[in-house]
Amino acid sequence: MIQKILILAAFLISGLTSAAQNDYLESDAEDVEKTYIGGESYEVKTFSQNFKAKKPKNVILFIVDGMSLPHLHAGLTANKGSLFLTNFKYMGLATTHSANKYITDSAAGGTALSTGQKTTNGAIGVDVNKKPIKTILEEAEEKGLATGLVSTSSITHATPASFIAHQESRNMYEEIAADFLKTDIDVFIGGGYKHFTERKDGRNLVEELTQKNYRVEQDINTIKNIKNGKLAGLTASEHNGRMDERGDMLPVATSTAINILSNNKKGFFMMVEGSQVDWGGHAGSTIYVVEDMLDTDRAVGKALEFAAQNKQTLVVVTSDHETGGMTILEGNYETGMVKGEFTTGGHTGIMVPVMAYGPGAEQFTGFMDNTDIPKKIRKLLIGN
Ligand code: MG
Ligand code: ZN
């Protein structure tokens, strides 16, 4: 009898699942997400290409998680043919494979970009033998430069974590949060408040940060007025929401961090992540991809504005991998309409663009591997 009930239950569940799957295939909801119908565009400034020195004093590295040419071009079309990114004159292409996989994840991709070494998928700031590798942020800090991290995802998520933490798994969020306390990072702004406070080990890292003279704030409207000192901006319990929820958190956080870090006379290194182009790719949503490409582009605009006036700042924009196997089937530069298509719900192995502006930008051209990017930055900023 029990067996019969179980069989019936299994049958019903599989029936429901396949009906749901058919809905998914037949409904237009999917197609709606695949077409961004266009909307208001923003004005883009052209910045001077005159710089003070051959080597930069400051480096701002942008990682647009999941971006390759289709995402970039979707953004370009949606903003009717112009982006802050079109200020970049020096461009290259980077391969992204990890130590053990042709297709990387964001942990191995982030670690390649933070250390110049390949590691296994899932690993954060450690090599294939799980040994910690010093990151470019840690090296900059040792040299007396100011350092910062900004992200729309949780600050403990794979991409920002790769620059400051050393853990064998990207899922060890609480251990990653604790690694922030082992450093003297000056500014970090992102989500992830709960990984600092709701912890199995009972530690309250917000209290510990406060004891280390960090100002810990959760509201971006408070954060944006902070001009100096150490800052931990934890603007969401976990990840910051989509654009309709988080607003201009990323461009504002980028400007705020630059303001604070530029107080250091020796210079600074910061990494800014546009986290959610990747999530748009995973969701097969052109709308989500466009939203986050344009948001990240506006954050890049804030960095370029500072760099153009400062003249000693190198801005590098790249990605950890492509997401969604995206392509573009239709578009319109007048209306901003763009219709995407996706070939997978995961990542792909296709190369990603590398773009550079500022002193040393000419180093970032041609074919390279993702591990070459931090090596070039290290040579320019730290000098060995
Ligand atoms: Mg990421
Ligand atoms: Zn992803």
Side-chain angles (χ1 to χ4, degrees), residues 65 106 278-279 282 321 323 347:
D65 199 318
S106 291
D278 177 63
W279 303 352
H282 282 296
H321 54 72
T323 304
H347 300 168

Side-chain angles (χ1 to χ4, degrees), residues 11-44:
F11 178 77
L12 279 173
I13 288 165
S14 72
L16 286 173
T17 313
S18 64
Q21 272 168 0
N22 287 340
D23 279 357
Y24 174 86
L25 288 173
E26 285 159 16
S27 101
D28 301 310
E30 260 277 291
D31 280 340
V32 168
E33 279 284 296
K34 281 178 183 168
T35 304
Y36 173 79
I37 59 163
E40 257 185 65
S41 57
Y42 52 85
E43 214 185 304
V44 163

Side-chain angles (χ1 to χ4, degrees), residues 58-64 88 109-115 136-137 148-151 159 163 254 258 261 268-274 296 300 303 313-320 353-357 364 370 373-375 377-378 381:
N58 315 306
V59 172
I60 304 170
L61 171 64
F62 279 86
I63 299 179
V64 193
F88 289 80
T111 301
L113 291 169
S114 70
T115 69
I136 180 95
L137 184 144
L149 289 174
V150 172
S151 175
T159 312
F163 283 78
T254 303
I258 291 172
L261 298 176
F268 68 83
F269 171 83
M270 76 184 271
M271 191 286 292
V272 182
E273 185 197 21
T296 308
V300 168
T313 301
L314 171 67
V315 184
V316 178
V317 181
T318 189
S319 175
D320 48 358
V354 184
M355 299 166 258
Y357 170 96
F364 296 82
N370 57 3
I373 297 167
K375 288 178 191 161
I377 293 175
R378 181 183 296 132
L381 187 68

Side-chain angles (χ1 to χ4, degrees), residues 138 141 155-156 164-165 167 173-185 188 195-197 199 201 203-214 216 230 232 234:
E138 290 168 319
E141 187 187 295
I155 203 70
T156 55
I164 197 160
Q167 299 293 343
Y173 295 120
E174 294 179 15
E175 290 82 354
I176 289 167
D179 278 353
F180 276 76
L181 274 295
K182 295 179 186 158
T183 73
D184 280 312
I185 184 169
F188 56 98
H195 302 306
F196 289 78
T197 52
R199 301 170 53 82
D201 64 8
R203 283 171 71 183
N204 183 333
L205 300 186
V206 165
E207 273 174 20
E208 293 185 31
L209 283 165
T210 310
Q211 276 156 22
K212 281 191 81 175
N213 291 322
Y214 283 87
V216 185
K230 284 185 175 288
L234 295 166

Side-chain angles (χ1 to χ4, degrees), residues 329-345:
L329 299 180
E330 231 181 290
N332 185 321
Y333 290 114
E334 260 122 65
T335 63
M337 181 276 285
V338 54
K339 185 181 177 192
E341 188 55 85
F342 299 82
T343 58
T344 173

